[in-house]
PDB file of all heavy atoms in Angstrom:
ATOM      1  N   GLU A   2      -3.764 127.868  33.294  1.00 93.00           N
ATOM      2  CA  GLU A   2      -3.514 127.951  31.862  1.00 93.00           C
ATOM      3  C   GLU A   2      -4.549 127.235  31.067  1.00 93.00           C
ATOM      4  O   GLU A   2      -4.931 127.624  29.995  1.00 93.00           O
ATOM      5  CB  GLU A   2      -2.125 127.392  31.575  1.00 93.00           C
ATOM      6  CG  GLU A   2      -0.996 128.220  31.976  1.00 93.00           C
ATOM      7  CD  GLU A   2       0.411 127.545  31.626  1.00 93.00           C
ATOM      8  OE1 GLU A   2       0.311 126.500  30.926  1.00 93.00           O
ATOM      9  OE2 GLU A   2       1.344 128.112  32.090  1.00 93.00           O
ATOM     10  N   LYS A   3      -4.979 125.996  31.576  1.00 95.00           N
ATOM     11  CA  LYS A   3      -5.955 125.242  30.819  1.00 95.00           C
ATOM     12  C   LYS A   3      -7.253 125.939  30.775  1.00 95.00           C
ATOM     13  O   LYS A   3      -7.965 125.878  29.709  1.00 95.00           O
ATOM     14  CB  LYS A   3      -6.140 123.892  31.488  1.00 95.00           C
ATOM     15  CG  LYS A   3      -4.911 123.000  31.410  1.00 95.00           C
ATOM     16  CD  LYS A   3      -5.088 121.670  32.150  1.00 95.00           C
ATOM     17  CE  LYS A   3      -3.848 120.839  32.048  1.00 95.00           C
ATOM     18  NZ  LYS A   3      -4.016 119.677  32.799  1.00 95.00           N
ATOM     19  N   ILE A   6      -6.965 128.514  27.974  1.00 94.00           N
ATOM     20  CA  ILE A   6      -6.948 127.881  26.686  1.00 94.00           C
ATOM     21  C   ILE A   6      -8.384 127.461  26.306  1.00 94.00           C
ATOM     22  O   ILE A   6      -8.719 127.808  25.125  1.00 94.00           O
ATOM     23  CB  ILE A   6      -5.954 126.678  26.669  1.00 94.00           C
ATOM     24  CG1 ILE A   6      -4.564 127.145  26.746  1.00 94.00           C
ATOM     25  CG2 ILE A   6      -6.201 125.789  25.400  1.00 94.00           C
ATOM     26  CD1 ILE A   6      -3.608 126.052  26.939  1.00 94.00           C
ATOM     27  N   ILE A   7      -9.093 126.929  27.134  1.00 95.00           N
ATOM     28  CA  ILE A   7     -10.519 126.574  26.867  1.00 95.00           C
ATOM     29  C   ILE A   7     -11.332 127.813  26.649  1.00 95.00           C
ATOM     30  O   ILE A   7     -12.196 127.812  25.712  1.00 95.00           O
ATOM     31  CB  ILE A   7     -11.095 125.744  28.066  1.00 95.00           C
ATOM     32  CG1 ILE A   7     -10.328 124.292  28.094  1.00 95.00           C
ATOM     33  CG2 ILE A   7     -12.559 125.500  27.830  1.00 95.00           C
ATOM     34  CD1 ILE A   7     -10.725 123.527  29.221  1.00 95.00           C
ATOM     35  N   TRP A  10     -10.463 129.098  23.180  1.00 95.00           N
ATOM     36  CA  TRP A  10     -11.076 128.318  22.127  1.00 95.00           C
ATOM     37  C   TRP A  10     -12.574 128.501  22.039  1.00 95.00           C
ATOM     38  O   TRP A  10     -13.114 128.606  20.874  1.00 95.00           O
ATOM     39  CB  TRP A  10     -10.766 126.779  22.473  1.00 95.00           C
ATOM     40  CG  TRP A  10     -10.478 125.960  21.266  1.00 95.00           C
ATOM     41  CD1 TRP A  10     -10.669 126.342  19.896  1.00 95.00           C
ATOM     42  CD2 TRP A  10      -9.869 124.645  21.221  1.00 95.00           C
ATOM     43  NE1 TRP A  10     -10.230 125.247  19.151  1.00 95.00           N
ATOM     44  CE2 TRP A  10      -9.759 124.258  19.905  1.00 95.00           C
ATOM     45  CE3 TRP A  10      -9.423 123.823  22.251  1.00 95.00           C
ATOM     46  CZ2 TRP A  10      -9.168 123.119  19.556  1.00 95.00           C
ATOM     47  CZ3 TRP A  10      -8.823 122.664  21.874  1.00 95.00           C
ATOM     48  CH2 TRP A  10      -8.748 122.273  20.497  1.00 95.00           C
ATOM     49  N   VAL A  12     -14.230 131.364  22.816  1.00 97.00           N
ATOM     50  CA  VAL A  12     -14.442 132.675  22.284  1.00 97.00           C
ATOM     51  C   VAL A  12     -14.057 132.688  20.813  1.00 97.00           C
ATOM     52  O   VAL A  12     -14.682 133.264  19.943  1.00 97.00           O
ATOM     53  CB  VAL A  12     -13.667 133.695  23.066  1.00 97.00           C
ATOM     54  CG1 VAL A  12     -13.788 135.094  22.422  1.00 97.00           C
ATOM     55  CG2 VAL A  12     -14.189 133.786  24.491  1.00 97.00           C
ATOM     56  N   TRP A  15     -16.874 131.113  18.828  1.00 96.00           N
ATOM     57  CA  TRP A  15     -17.932 132.117  18.629  1.00 96.00           C
ATOM     58  C   TRP A  15     -17.566 133.066  17.563  1.00 96.00           C
ATOM     59  O   TRP A  15     -18.403 133.495  16.753  1.00 96.00           O
ATOM     60  CB  TRP A  15     -18.130 132.877  20.009  1.00 96.00           C
ATOM     61  CG  TRP A  15     -18.944 134.083  19.796  1.00 96.00           C
ATOM     62  CD1 TRP A  15     -20.392 134.098  19.691  1.00 96.00           C
ATOM     63  CD2 TRP A  15     -18.563 135.415  19.810  1.00 96.00           C
ATOM     64  NE1 TRP A  15     -20.763 135.452  19.513  1.00 96.00           N
ATOM     65  CE2 TRP A  15     -19.652 136.223  19.540  1.00 96.00           C
ATOM     66  CE3 TRP A  15     -17.238 136.007  19.816  1.00 96.00           C
ATOM     67  CZ2 TRP A  15     -19.542 137.623  19.527  1.00 96.00           C
ATOM     68  CZ3 TRP A  15     -17.197 137.332  19.745  1.00 96.00           C
ATOM     69  CH2 TRP A  15     -18.332 138.182  19.538  1.00 96.00           C
ATOM     70  N   VAL A  17     -15.522 132.620  14.933  1.00 96.00           N
ATOM     71  CA  VAL A  17     -15.549 131.991  13.715  1.00 96.00           C
ATOM     72  C   VAL A  17     -16.985 131.958  13.225  1.00 96.00           C
ATOM     73  O   VAL A  17     -17.261 132.226  12.022  1.00 96.00           O
ATOM     74  CB  VAL A  17     -14.952 130.531  13.801  1.00 96.00           C
ATOM     75  CG1 VAL A  17     -15.286 129.691  12.541  1.00 96.00           C
ATOM     76  CG2 VAL A  17     -13.532 130.550  13.941  1.00 96.00           C
ATOM     77  N   LEU A  21     -17.295 134.239   9.916  1.00 94.00           N
ATOM     78  CA  LEU A  21     -17.237 133.462   8.687  1.00 94.00           C
ATOM     79  C   LEU A  21     -18.500 132.787   8.306  1.00 94.00           C
ATOM     80  O   LEU A  21     -18.786 132.573   7.176  1.00 94.00           O
ATOM     81  CB  LEU A  21     -16.154 132.384   8.878  1.00 94.00           C
ATOM     82  CG  LEU A  21     -14.700 132.911   9.048  1.00 94.00           C
ATOM     83  CD1 LEU A  21     -13.730 131.738   9.219  1.00 94.00           C
ATOM     84  CD2 LEU A  21     -14.294 133.816   7.959  1.00 94.00           C
ATOM     85  N   TYR A  22     -19.324 132.323   9.336  1.00 93.00           N
ATOM     86  CA  TYR A  22     -20.507 131.520   9.042  1.00 93.00           C
ATOM     87  C   TYR A  22     -21.814 132.183   9.324  1.00 93.00           C
ATOM     88  O   TYR A  22     -22.933 131.516   9.274  1.00 93.00           O
ATOM     89  CB  TYR A  22     -20.417 130.224   9.855  1.00 93.00           C
ATOM     90  CG  TYR A  22     -19.262 129.304   9.260  1.00 93.00           C
ATOM     91  CD1 TYR A  22     -18.117 129.198  10.001  1.00 93.00           C
ATOM     92  CD2 TYR A  22     -19.467 128.526   8.202  1.00 93.00           C
ATOM     93  CE1 TYR A  22     -17.072 128.389   9.564  1.00 93.00           C
ATOM     94  CE2 TYR A  22     -18.476 127.740   7.739  1.00 93.00           C
ATOM     95  CZ  TYR A  22     -17.288 127.663   8.387  1.00 93.00           C
ATOM     96  OH  TYR A  22     -16.299 126.827   7.952  1.00 93.00           O
ATOM     97  N   VAL A  26     -25.744 129.167   4.742  1.00 89.00           N
ATOM     98  CA  VAL A  26     -26.233 127.719   4.881  1.00 89.00           C
ATOM     99  C   VAL A  26     -24.962 126.890   4.570  1.00 89.00           C
ATOM    100  O   VAL A  26     -24.343 126.980   3.441  1.00 89.00           O
ATOM    101  CB  VAL A  26     -27.334 127.457   3.931  1.00 89.00           C
ATOM    102  CG1 VAL A  26     -27.691 125.988   3.962  1.00 89.00           C
ATOM    103  CG2 VAL A  26     -28.524 128.331   4.193  1.00 89.00           C
ATOM    104  N   VAL A  27     -24.613 125.988   5.478  1.00 87.00           N
ATOM    105  CA  VAL A  27     -23.412 125.146   5.328  1.00 87.00           C
ATOM    106  C   VAL A  27     -23.901 123.619   5.319  1.00 87.00           C
ATOM    107  O   VAL A  27     -24.610 123.245   6.194  1.00 87.00           O
ATOM    108  CB  VAL A  27     -22.465 125.382   6.508  1.00 87.00           C
ATOM    109  CG1 VAL A  27     -21.247 124.494   6.290  1.00 87.00           C
ATOM    110  CG2 VAL A  27     -22.020 126.772   6.600  1.00 87.00           C
ATOM    111  N   ILE A  28     -23.507 122.935   4.252  1.00 88.00           N
ATOM    112  CA  ILE A  28     -23.852 121.582   4.145  1.00 88.00           C
ATOM    113  C   ILE A  28     -22.611 120.703   4.142  1.00 88.00           C
ATOM    114  O   ILE A  28     -21.707 120.923   3.344  1.00 88.00           O
ATOM    115  CB  ILE A  28     -24.735 121.305   2.856  1.00 88.00           C
ATOM    116  CG1 ILE A  28     -25.928 122.130   2.819  1.00 88.00           C
ATOM    117  CG2 ILE A  28     -24.941 119.839   2.705  1.00 88.00           C
ATOM    118  CD1 ILE A  28     -26.697 122.116   1.528  1.00 88.00           C
ATOM    119  N   SER A  33     -19.161 116.263  12.398  1.00 92.00           N
ATOM    120  CA  SER A  33     -17.853 116.280  13.026  1.00 92.00           C
ATOM    121  C   SER A  33     -16.777 116.960  12.198  1.00 92.00           C
ATOM    122  O   SER A  33     -15.857 117.634  12.715  1.00 92.00           O
ATOM    123  CB  SER A  33     -17.363 114.877  13.382  1.00 92.00           C
ATOM    124  OG  SER A  33     -17.321 114.062  12.206  1.00 92.00           O
ATOM    125  N   ALA A  34     -16.923 116.799  10.831  1.00 90.00           N
ATOM    126  CA  ALA A  34     -15.972 117.526   9.978  1.00 90.00           C
ATOM    127  C   ALA A  34     -16.079 118.998  10.054  1.00 90.00           C
ATOM    128  O   ALA A  34     -15.059 119.674  10.075  1.00 90.00           O
ATOM    129  CB  ALA A  34     -16.158 116.959   8.525  1.00 90.00           C
ATOM    130  N   ILE A  37     -14.653 120.091  13.502  1.00 94.00           N
ATOM    131  CA  ILE A  37     -13.120 120.055  13.535  1.00 94.00           C
ATOM    132  C   ILE A  37     -12.670 121.264  12.696  1.00 94.00           C
ATOM    133  O   ILE A  37     -11.656 121.970  13.106  1.00 94.00           O
ATOM    134  CB  ILE A  37     -12.606 118.848  12.911  1.00 94.00           C
ATOM    135  CG1 ILE A  37     -12.825 117.680  13.914  1.00 94.00           C
ATOM    136  CG2 ILE A  37     -11.161 118.909  12.584  1.00 94.00           C
ATOM    137  CD1 ILE A  37     -12.570 116.319  13.389  1.00 94.00           C
ATOM    138  N   LYS A  38     -13.285 121.640  11.564  1.00 93.00           N
ATOM    139  CA  LYS A  38     -12.905 122.822  10.763  1.00 93.00           C
ATOM    140  C   LYS A  38     -13.015 124.044  11.568  1.00 93.00           C
ATOM    141  O   LYS A  38     -12.148 124.896  11.573  1.00 93.00           O
ATOM    142  CB  LYS A  38     -13.670 122.835   9.465  1.00 93.00           C
ATOM    143  CG  LYS A  38     -13.231 123.943   8.582  1.00 93.00           C
ATOM    144  CD  LYS A  38     -14.057 123.851   7.251  1.00 93.00           C
ATOM    145  CE  LYS A  38     -13.678 124.905   6.250  1.00 93.00           C
ATOM    146  NZ  LYS A  38     -14.365 124.833   5.028  1.00 93.00           N
ATOM    147  N   LEU A  40     -13.241 124.537  14.889  1.00 94.00           N
ATOM    148  CA  LEU A  40     -12.371 124.486  16.028  1.00 94.00           C
ATOM    149  C   LEU A  40     -10.903 124.773  15.557  1.00 94.00           C
ATOM    150  O   LEU A  40     -10.206 125.420  16.232  1.00 94.00           O
ATOM    151  CB  LEU A  40     -12.408 123.172  16.772  1.00 94.00           C
ATOM    152  CG  LEU A  40     -13.670 122.952  17.609  1.00 94.00           C
ATOM    153  CD1 LEU A  40     -13.730 121.622  18.216  1.00 94.00           C
ATOM    154  CD2 LEU A  40     -13.856 123.993  18.681  1.00 94.00           C
ATOM    155  N   ALA A  43     -10.792 128.439  14.888  1.00 95.00           N
ATOM    156  CA  ALA A  43     -10.748 129.088  16.258  1.00 95.00           C
ATOM    157  C   ALA A  43      -9.420 129.023  16.850  1.00 95.00           C
ATOM    158  O   ALA A  43      -8.955 130.063  17.429  1.00 95.00           O
ATOM    159  CB  ALA A  43     -11.836 128.481  17.147  1.00 95.00           C
ATOM    160  N   ILE A  49      -7.117 136.920  15.390  1.00 97.00           N
ATOM    161  CA  ILE A  49      -7.534 137.983  14.481  1.00 97.00           C
ATOM    162  C   ILE A  49      -9.071 138.024  14.295  1.00 97.00           C
ATOM    163  O   ILE A  49      -9.655 139.013  14.131  1.00 97.00           O
ATOM    164  CB  ILE A  49      -6.945 137.831  12.948  1.00 97.00           C
ATOM    165  CG1 ILE A  49      -7.228 139.124  12.149  1.00 97.00           C
ATOM    166  CG2 ILE A  49      -7.326 136.617  12.327  1.00 97.00           C
ATOM    167  CD1 ILE A  49      -6.488 140.348  12.623  1.00 97.00           C
ATOM    168  N   PRO A  52     -11.151 139.965  17.611  1.00 97.00           N
ATOM    169  CA  PRO A  52     -11.470 141.429  17.595  1.00 97.00           C
ATOM    170  C   PRO A  52     -12.440 141.824  16.481  1.00 97.00           C
ATOM    171  O   PRO A  52     -13.224 142.694  16.715  1.00 97.00           O
ATOM    172  CB  PRO A  52     -10.094 142.035  17.322  1.00 97.00           C
ATOM    173  CG  PRO A  52      -9.090 140.967  17.706  1.00 97.00           C
ATOM    174  CD  PRO A  52      -9.787 139.719  17.517  1.00 97.00           C
ATOM    175  N   SER A  58     -20.102 142.759  16.206  1.00 95.00           N
ATOM    176  CA  SER A  58     -21.259 142.610  17.125  1.00 95.00           C
ATOM    177  C   SER A  58     -21.644 144.073  17.691  1.00 95.00           C
ATOM    178  O   SER A  58     -22.801 144.218  17.968  1.00 95.00           O
ATOM    179  CB  SER A  58     -21.018 141.671  18.197  1.00 95.00           C
ATOM    180  OG  SER A  58     -20.023 141.967  19.020  1.00 95.00           O
ATOM    181  N   PHE A  61     -22.570 146.479  13.949  1.00 89.00           N
ATOM    182  CA  PHE A  61     -23.531 145.911  12.998  1.00 89.00           C
ATOM    183  C   PHE A  61     -24.551 144.982  13.723  1.00 89.00           C
ATOM    184  O   PHE A  61     -24.524 143.760  13.643  1.00 89.00           O
ATOM    185  CB  PHE A  61     -22.819 145.065  11.882  1.00 89.00           C
ATOM    186  CG  PHE A  61     -21.873 145.787  11.130  1.00 89.00           C
ATOM    187  CD1 PHE A  61     -20.522 145.633  11.290  1.00 89.00           C
ATOM    188  CD2 PHE A  61     -22.290 146.833  10.230  1.00 89.00           C
ATOM    189  CE1 PHE A  61     -19.604 146.368  10.524  1.00 89.00           C
ATOM    190  CE2 PHE A  61     -21.415 147.560   9.526  1.00 89.00           C
ATOM    191  CZ  PHE A  61     -19.981 147.321   9.652  1.00 89.00           C
TER     192      PHE A  61
END
Side-chain angles (χ1 to χ4, degrees):
E2 286 180 8
K3 291 179 183 178
I6 291 171
I7 292 171
W10 219 343
V12 174
W15 167 79
V17 166
L21 300 178
Y22 291 102
V26 176
V27 181
I28 300 173
S33 61
I37 290 171
K38 184 176 181 179
L40 288 174
I49 191 68
S58 63
F61 301 108

